Amino acid sequence: MSELSTVILLGSARNPGNTYHLAQALADKLQASLLDLNRYQIKPFDYAFQNQDDDFPGLIREVLSYERIILASPVYWYAPSGSMKIFMDRLSDLLKINKPLGRQLRSKRAAVLATGSDAVPADCFEQVFTHSFAYLGMQYDGMLYASCDEDFIHEQHAKAIDSFCRGRHAE
């Protein structure tokens, strides 16, 4: 898995929190770029497309320069974080007003990183991503989930991180 140029998009309300630590560990292992969505001003999706003066157009151009896109989010009420959901909603821009950029997603690989307090995330969490990636024509490489009762402890997840990097998506 590690030979592809990779970007990890971090969508978390708490940095540096558990999802940040998992994303950073994977970024180090894969020599991936880590971009924190909190550093960008991304407005919600707007059917009138009057939101084009924010950071999304520039961010998505940067993201599309990578071969693999990994979305990292804590599990909030069985769903991605608000910042991740806003980013994903804005992908609709690429289907409506910037189709040439949207078509570039078809050649990309995608994966998900997540942390949460449950031993295993509810199926509906991953389905948000798998259905979106399938609709966009992206190849899905799986999800790496780290259950964290309190703080992220790298040693507890090192084997899963290594397995994920080798393309085996064990938990």
Side-chain angles (χ1 to χ4, degrees):
M1 186 185 234
S2 63
E3 68 280 350
L4 297 173
S5 66
T6 301
V7 63
I8 300 172
L9 292 174
L10 175 65
S12 178
R14 182 174 64 115
N15 289 331
N18 294 337
T19 307
Y20 166 82
H21 290 295
L22 176 62
Q24 187 62 62
L26 194 68
D28 292 345
K29 193 100 172 143
L30 295 176
Q31 298 179 338
S33 296
L34 179 59
L35 303 178
D36 184 349
L37 292 176
N38 288 328
R39 296 182 181 261
Y40 299 87
Q41 179 190 26
I42 302 174
K43 296 176 184 174
F45 178 74
D46 172 5
Y47 285 99
F49 303 102
Q50 296 178 5
N51 55 6
Q52 299 301 296
D53 60 342
D54 67 2
D55 293 333
F56 181 79
L59 174 60
I60 198 63
R61 282 183 177 83
E62 181 178 353
V63 167
L64 288 170
S65 71
Y66 293 89
E67 298 167 288
R68 180 178 42 230
I69 303 163
I70 300 177
L71 302 182
S73 174
V75 178
Y76 291 156
W77 290 99
Y78 314 102
S81 68
S83 61
M84 183 59 67
K85 181 67 172 96
I86 287 172
F87 174 81
M88 293 175 71
D89 287 351
R90 285 297 296 280
L91 293 175
S92 297
D93 290 8
L94 306 183
L95 304 173
K96 300 289 183 184
I97 61 169
N98 205 334
K99 292 180 183 184
L101 281 182
R103 286 185 200 102
Q104 291 179 40
L105 289 168
R106 293 182 194 152
S107 65
K108 306 299 177 185
R109 296 173 71 143
V112 176
L113 299 182
T115 60
S117 58
D118 293 330
V120 176
D123 290 341
C124 60
F125 176 79
E126 188 175 14
Q127 289 172 352
V128 168
F129 297 97
T130 58
H131 289 299
S132 298
F133 296 146
Y135 184 82
L136 295 167
M138 301 172 76
Q139 179 180 326
Y140 184 55
D141 287 341
M143 180 172 73
L144 173 59
Y145 176 77
S147 176
C148 304
D149 287 331
E150 296 281 332
D151 294 330
F152 178 83
I153 300 170
H154 185 273
E155 295 76 29
Q156 292 177 353
H157 305 287
K159 183 177 176 182
I161 292 167
D162 288 344
S163 181
F164 187 83
C165 289
R166 288 191 309 273
R168 297 181 190 93
H169 311 299
E171 300 193 86

mmCIF file of all heavy atoms in Angstrom, residues 114-146:
data_model
loop_
_atom_site.group_PDB
_atom_site.id
_atom_site.type_symbol
_atom_site.label_atom_id
_atom_site.label_comp_id
_atom_site.label_asym_id
_atom_site.label_seq_id
_atom_site.Cartn_x
_atom_site.Cartn_y
_atom_site.Cartn_z
ATOM 1 N N ALA A 114 -10.400 5.799 11.392
ATOM 2 C CA ALA A 114 -11.393 6.241 12.362
ATOM 3 C C ALA A 114 -10.990 5.803 13.757
ATOM 4 O O ALA A 114 -10.299 4.795 13.937
ATOM 5 C CB ALA A 114 -12.767 5.672 12.012
ATOM 6 N N THR A 115 -11.436 6.584 14.717
ATOM 7 C CA THR A 115 -11.290 6.220 16.119
ATOM 8 C C THR A 115 -12.641 6.399 16.786
ATOM 9 O O THR A 115 -13.478 7.191 16.341
ATOM 10 C CB THR A 115 -10.255 7.102 16.844
ATOM 11 O OG1 THR A 115 -10.667 8.465 16.784
ATOM 12 C CG2 THR A 115 -8.867 6.947 16.237
ATOM 13 N N GLY A 116 -12.835 5.650 17.842
ATOM 14 C CA GLY A 116 -14.070 5.760 18.598
ATOM 15 C C GLY A 116 -13.967 4.968 19.883
ATOM 16 O O GLY A 116 -12.982 4.260 20.112
ATOM 17 N N SER A 117 -14.979 5.062 20.696
ATOM 18 C CA SER A 117 -14.957 4.369 21.982
ATOM 19 C C SER A 117 -15.541 2.962 21.908
ATOM 20 O O SER A 117 -15.300 2.146 22.790
ATOM 21 C CB SER A 117 -15.709 5.189 23.037
ATOM 22 O OG SER A 117 -17.037 5.418 22.613
ATOM 23 N N ASP A 118 -16.289 2.658 20.857
ATOM 24 C CA ASP A 118 -16.833 1.306 20.700
ATOM 25 C C ASP A 118 -15.738 0.346 20.257
ATOM 26 O O ASP A 118 -14.793 0.742 19.566
ATOM 27 C CB ASP A 118 -17.956 1.296 19.664
ATOM 28 C CG ASP A 118 -19.186 2.062 20.119
ATOM 29 O OD1 ASP A 118 -19.440 2.108 21.342
ATOM 30 O OD2 ASP A 118 -19.887 2.611 19.249
ATOM 31 N N ALA A 119 -15.883 -0.907 20.630
ATOM 32 C CA ALA A 119 -14.895 -1.916 20.223
ATOM 33 C C ALA A 119 -14.840 -2.030 18.706
ATOM 34 O O ALA A 119 -13.768 -2.180 18.116
ATOM 35 C CB ALA A 119 -15.235 -3.268 20.848
ATOM 36 N N VAL A 120 -16.000 -1.934 18.074
ATOM 37 C CA VAL A 120 -16.119 -2.000 16.613
ATOM 38 C C VAL A 120 -17.129 -0.931 16.209
ATOM 39 O O VAL A 120 -18.179 -0.805 16.841
ATOM 40 C CB VAL A 120 -16.623 -3.397 16.167
ATOM 41 C CG1 VAL A 120 -16.838 -3.453 14.670
ATOM 42 C CG2 VAL A 120 -15.672 -4.481 16.619
ATOM 43 N N PRO A 121 -16.834 -0.169 15.164
ATOM 44 C CA PRO A 121 -17.801 0.857 14.760
ATOM 45 C C PRO A 121 -19.042 0.233 14.126
ATOM 46 O O PRO A 121 -18.975 -0.847 13.540
ATOM 47 C CB PRO A 121 -17.027 1.696 13.738
ATOM 48 C CG PRO A 121 -16.037 0.750 13.165
ATOM 49 C CD PRO A 121 -15.665 -0.192 14.294
ATOM 50 N N ALA A 122 -20.154 0.914 14.231
ATOM 51 C CA ALA A 122 -21.375 0.466 13.565
ATOM 52 C C ALA A 122 -21.152 0.457 12.059
ATOM 53 O O ALA A 122 -20.438 1.309 11.522
ATOM 54 C CB ALA A 122 -22.538 1.387 13.924
ATOM 55 N N ASP A 123 -21.757 -0.506 11.370
ATOM 56 C CA ASP A 123 -21.600 -0.624 9.920
ATOM 57 C C ASP A 123 -21.954 0.667 9.187
ATOM 58 O O ASP A 123 -21.337 1.006 8.181
ATOM 59 C CB ASP A 123 -22.474 -1.755 9.370
ATOM 60 C CG ASP A 123 -21.987 -3.132 9.783
ATOM 61 O OD1 ASP A 123 -20.810 -3.273 10.172
ATOM 62 O OD2 ASP A 123 -22.801 -4.079 9.717
ATOM 63 N N CYS A 124 -22.936 1.384 9.708
ATOM 64 C CA CYS A 124 -23.391 2.595 9.010
ATOM 65 C C CYS A 124 -22.292 3.649 8.910
ATOM 66 O O CYS A 124 -22.292 4.446 7.969
ATOM 67 C CB CYS A 124 -24.631 3.173 9.670
ATOM 68 S SG CYS A 124 -24.424 3.645 11.397
ATOM 69 N N PHE A 125 -21.334 3.656 9.835
ATOM 70 C CA PHE A 125 -20.247 4.630 9.754
ATOM 71 C C PHE A 125 -19.424 4.415 8.489
ATOM 72 O O PHE A 125 -19.233 5.344 7.697
ATOM 73 C CB PHE A 125 -19.340 4.547 10.990
ATOM 74 C CG PHE A 125 -18.152 5.462 10.891
ATOM 75 C CD1 PHE A 125 -18.279 6.811 11.154
ATOM 76 C CD2 PHE A 125 -16.907 4.975 10.518
ATOM 77 C CE1 PHE A 125 -17.195 7.671 11.047
ATOM 78 C CE2 PHE A 125 -15.815 5.826 10.405
ATOM 79 C CZ PHE A 125 -15.957 7.168 10.669
ATOM 80 N N GLU A 126 -18.945 3.213 8.275
ATOM 81 C CA GLU A 126 -18.111 2.940 7.101
ATOM 82 C C GLU A 126 -18.919 3.061 5.807
ATOM 83 O O GLU A 126 -18.382 3.475 4.775
ATOM 84 C CB GLU A 126 -17.475 1.560 7.207
ATOM 85 C CG GLU A 126 -16.459 1.287 6.120
ATOM 86 C CD GLU A 126 -15.729 -0.041 6.276
ATOM 87 O OE1 GLU A 126 -16.175 -0.885 7.074
ATOM 88 O OE2 GLU A 126 -14.704 -0.225 5.598
ATOM 89 N N GLN A 127 -20.194 2.739 5.866
ATOM 90 C CA GLN A 127 -21.021 2.792 4.658
ATOM 91 C C GLN A 127 -21.120 4.194 4.076
ATOM 92 O O GLN A 127 -21.221 4.357 2.858
ATOM 93 C CB GLN A 127 -22.409 2.232 4.943
ATOM 94 C CG GLN A 127 -22.400 0.737 5.150
ATOM 95 C CD GLN A 127 -23.736 0.205 5.616
ATOM 96 O OE1 GLN A 127 -24.661 0.956 5.929
ATOM 97 N NE2 GLN A 127 -23.850 -1.111 5.668
ATOM 98 N N VAL A 128 -21.078 5.219 4.916
ATOM 99 C CA VAL A 128 -21.068 6.599 4.412
ATOM 100 C C VAL A 128 -19.924 6.764 3.412
ATOM 101 O O VAL A 128 -20.083 7.368 2.354
ATOM 102 C CB VAL A 128 -20.913 7.607 5.579
ATOM 103 C CG1 VAL A 128 -20.618 9.005 5.068
ATOM 104 C CG2 VAL A 128 -22.137 7.588 6.473
ATOM 105 N N PHE A 129 -18.785 6.212 3.753
ATOM 106 C CA PHE A 129 -17.597 6.338 2.912
ATOM 107 C C PHE A 129 -17.645 5.385 1.720
ATOM 108 O O PHE A 129 -17.383 5.792 0.587
ATOM 109 C CB PHE A 129 -16.342 6.082 3.744
ATOM 110 C CG PHE A 129 -16.147 7.081 4.846
ATOM 111 C CD1 PHE A 129 -16.565 6.806 6.137
ATOM 112 C CD2 PHE A 129 -15.551 8.311 4.591
ATOM 113 C CE1 PHE A 129 -16.390 7.726 7.160
ATOM 114 C CE2 PHE A 129 -15.375 9.245 5.604
ATOM 115 C CZ PHE A 129 -15.792 8.952 6.889
ATOM 116 N N THR A 130 -17.971 4.113 1.974
ATOM 117 C CA THR A 130 -17.928 3.137 0.877
ATOM 118 C C THR A 130 -18.913 3.488 -0.227
ATOM 119 O O THR A 130 -18.584 3.390 -1.410
ATOM 120 C CB THR A 130 -18.190 1.699 1.376
ATOM 121 O OG1 THR A 130 -19.462 1.626 2.023
ATOM 122 C CG2 THR A 130 -17.096 1.237 2.329
ATOM 123 N N HIS A 131 -20.104 3.917 0.154
ATOM 124 C CA HIS A 131 -21.084 4.302 -0.864
ATOM 125 C C HIS A 131 -20.631 5.546 -1.622
ATOM 126 O O HIS A 131 -20.795 5.633 -2.842
ATOM 127 C CB HIS A 131 -22.460 4.538 -0.238
ATOM 128 C CG HIS A 131 -23.133 3.291 0.236
ATOM 129 N ND1 HIS A 131 -23.468 2.253 -0.595
ATOM 130 C CD2 HIS A 131 -23.511 2.913 1.481
ATOM 131 C CE1 HIS A 131 -24.037 1.286 0.101
ATOM 132 N NE2 HIS A 131 -24.070 1.665 1.370
ATOM 133 N N SER A 132 -20.055 6.500 -0.918
ATOM 134 C CA SER A 132 -19.565 7.720 -1.574
ATOM 135 C C SER A 132 -18.426 7.405 -2.533
ATOM 136 O O SER A 132 -18.414 7.887 -3.674
ATOM 137 C CB SER A 132 -19.101 8.740 -0.530
ATOM 138 O OG SER A 132 -20.171 9.130 0.306
ATOM 139 N N PHE A 133 -17.467 6.606 -2.086
ATOM 140 C CA PHE A 133 -16.340 6.249 -2.950
ATOM 141 C C PHE A 133 -16.815 5.474 -4.175
ATOM 142 O O PHE A 133 -16.338 5.709 -5.289
ATOM 143 C CB PHE A 133 -15.292 5.441 -2.187
ATOM 144 C CG PHE A 133 -14.624 6.184 -1.056
ATOM 145 C CD1 PHE A 133 -14.239 5.508 0.091
ATOM 146 C CD2 PHE A 133 -14.375 7.543 -1.125
ATOM 147 C CE1 PHE A 133 -13.610 6.170 1.132
ATOM 148 C CE2 PHE A 133 -13.755 8.224 -0.078
ATOM 149 C CZ PHE A 133 -13.370 7.528 1.046
ATOM 150 N N ALA A 134 -17.741 4.540 -3.980
ATOM 151 C CA ALA A 134 -18.264 3.770 -5.115
ATOM 152 C C ALA A 134 -18.960 4.698 -6.112
ATOM 153 O O ALA A 134 -18.753 4.569 -7.325
ATOM 154 C CB ALA A 134 -19.223 2.692 -4.618
ATOM 155 N N TYR A 135 -19.764 5.614 -5.628
ATOM 156 C CA TYR A 135 -20.464 6.551 -6.500
ATOM 157 C C TYR A 135 -19.482 7.388 -7.307
ATOM 158 O O TYR A 135 -19.709 7.678 -8.485
ATOM 159 C CB TYR A 135 -21.376 7.458 -5.668
ATOM 160 C CG TYR A 135 -22.205 8.385 -6.513
ATOM 161 C CD1 TYR A 135 -23.386 7.937 -7.108
ATOM 162 C CD2 TYR A 135 -21.814 9.700 -6.728
ATOM 163 C CE1 TYR A 135 -24.148 8.785 -7.894
ATOM 164 C CE2 TYR A 135 -22.574 10.551 -7.514
ATOM 165 C CZ TYR A 135 -23.737 10.087 -8.102
ATOM 166 O OH TYR A 135 -24.486 10.923 -8.884
ATOM 167 N N LEU A 136 -18.375 7.754 -6.679
ATOM 168 C CA LEU A 136 -17.368 8.580 -7.350
ATOM 169 C C LEU A 136 -16.417 7.765 -8.227
ATOM 170 O O LEU A 136 -15.563 8.325 -8.897
ATOM 171 C CB LEU A 136 -16.565 9.363 -6.308
ATOM 172 C CG LEU A 136 -17.381 10.387 -5.516
ATOM 173 C CD1 LEU A 136 -16.592 10.882 -4.311
ATOM 174 C CD2 LEU A 136 -17.807 11.545 -6.410
ATOM 175 N N GLY A 137 -16.543 6.429 -8.203
ATOM 176 C CA GLY A 137 -15.701 5.565 -9.023
ATOM 177 C C GLY A 137 -14.313 5.345 -8.456
ATOM 178 O O GLY A 137 -13.384 5.001 -9.189
ATOM 179 N N MET A 138 -14.168 5.515 -7.157
ATOM 180 C CA MET A 138 -12.862 5.350 -6.511
ATOM 181 C C MET A 138 -12.698 3.918 -6.009
ATOM 182 O O MET A 138 -13.675 3.282 -5.610
ATOM 183 C CB MET A 138 -12.740 6.331 -5.341
ATOM 184 C CG MET A 138 -12.876 7.787 -5.765
ATOM 185 S SD MET A 138 -12.966 8.923 -4.372
ATOM 186 C CE MET A 138 -11.237 8.961 -3.879
ATOM 187 N N GLN A 139 -11.475 3.426 -6.021
ATOM 188 C CA GLN A 139 -11.191 2.094 -5.491
ATOM 189 C C GLN A 139 -11.025 2.192 -3.977
ATOM 190 O O GLN A 139 -10.220 2.979 -3.487
ATOM 191 C CB GLN A 139 -9.912 1.515 -6.097
ATOM 192 C CG GLN A 139 -9.588 0.134 -5.550
ATOM 193 C CD GLN A 139 -8.324 -0.439 -6.150
ATOM 194 O OE1 GLN A 139 -8.019 -0.200 -7.305
ATOM 195 N NE2 GLN A 139 -7.595 -1.196 -5.352
ATOM 196 N N TYR A 140 -11.766 1.385 -3.246
ATOM 197 C CA TYR A 140 -11.746 1.449 -1.786
ATOM 198 C C TYR A 140 -10.733 0.458 -1.224
ATOM 199 O O TYR A 140 -10.802 -0.732 -1.498
ATOM 200 C CB TYR A 140 -13.141 1.162 -1.236
ATOM 201 C CG TYR A 140 -13.244 1.300 0.263
ATOM 202 C CD1 TYR A 140 -12.861 2.471 0.909
ATOM 203 C CD2 TYR A 140 -13.741 0.259 1.035
ATOM 204 C CE1 TYR A 140 -12.965 2.598 2.278
ATOM 205 C CE2 TYR A 140 -13.853 0.392 2.408
ATOM 206 C CZ TYR A 140 -13.463 1.561 3.021
ATOM 207 O OH TYR A 140 -13.567 1.684 4.385
ATOM 208 N N ASP A 141 -9.808 0.979 -0.411
ATOM 209 C CA ASP A 141 -8.758 0.156 0.192
ATOM 210 C C ASP A 141 -9.052 -0.259 1.626
ATOM 211 O O ASP A 141 -8.214 -0.876 2.263
ATOM 212 C CB ASP A 141 -7.414 0.909 0.161
ATOM 213 C CG ASP A 141 -6.812 0.988 -1.229
ATOM 214 O OD1 ASP A 141 -7.207 0.194 -2.109
ATOM 215 O OD2 ASP A 141 -5.940 1.841 -1.439
ATOM 216 N N GLY A 142 -10.217 0.085 2.154
ATOM 217 C CA GLY A 142 -10.607 -0.377 3.475
ATOM 218 C C GLY A 142 -10.501 0.680 4.555
ATOM 219 O O GLY A 142 -10.137 1.820 4.310
ATOM 220 N N MET A 143 -10.824 0.237 5.772
ATOM 221 C CA MET A 143 -10.839 1.137 6.920
ATOM 222 C C MET A 143 -9.930 0.602 8.015
ATOM 223 O O MET A 143 -9.918 -0.588 8.306
ATOM 224 C CB MET A 143 -12.254 1.280 7.481
ATOM 225 C CG MET A 143 -12.319 2.219 8.684
ATOM 226 S SD MET A 143 -13.992 2.619 9.245
ATOM 227 C CE MET A 143 -14.468 1.068 10.012
ATOM 228 N N LEU A 144 -9.199 1.506 8.630
ATOM 229 C CA LEU A 144 -8.414 1.212 9.829
ATOM 230 C C LEU A 144 -9.119 1.908 10.982
ATOM 231 O O LEU A 144 -9.253 3.135 10.977
ATOM 232 C CB LEU A 144 -6.983 1.737 9.687
ATOM 233 C CG LEU A 144 -6.097 1.641 10.933
ATOM 234 C CD1 LEU A 144 -5.959 0.193 11.413
ATOM 235 C CD2 LEU A 144 -4.730 2.240 10.651
ATOM 236 N N TYR A 145 -9.594 1.117 11.931
ATOM 237 C CA TYR A 145 -10.323 1.649 13.083
ATOM 238 C C TYR A 145 -9.535 1.347 14.344
ATOM 239 O O TYR A 145 -9.060 0.225 14.538
ATOM 240 C CB TYR A 145 -11.714 1.015 13.172
ATOM 241 C CG TYR A 145 -12.488 1.446 14.392
ATOM 242 C CD1 TYR A 145 -13.089 2.697 14.443
ATOM 243 C CD2 TYR A 145 -12.619 0.606 15.492
ATOM 244 C CE1 TYR A 145 -13.806 3.108 15.553
ATOM 245 C CE2 TYR A 145 -13.330 1.005 16.617
ATOM 246 C CZ TYR A 145 -13.921 2.252 16.645
ATOM 247 O OH TYR A 145 -14.618 2.657 17.757
ATOM 248 N N ALA A 146 -9.419 2.353 15.198
ATOM 249 C CA ALA A 146 -8.750 2.177 16.491
ATOM 250 C C ALA A 146 -9.739 2.506 17.601
ATOM 251 O O ALA A 146 -10.218 3.637 17.692
ATOM 252 C CB ALA A 146 -7.523 3.083 16.584
#
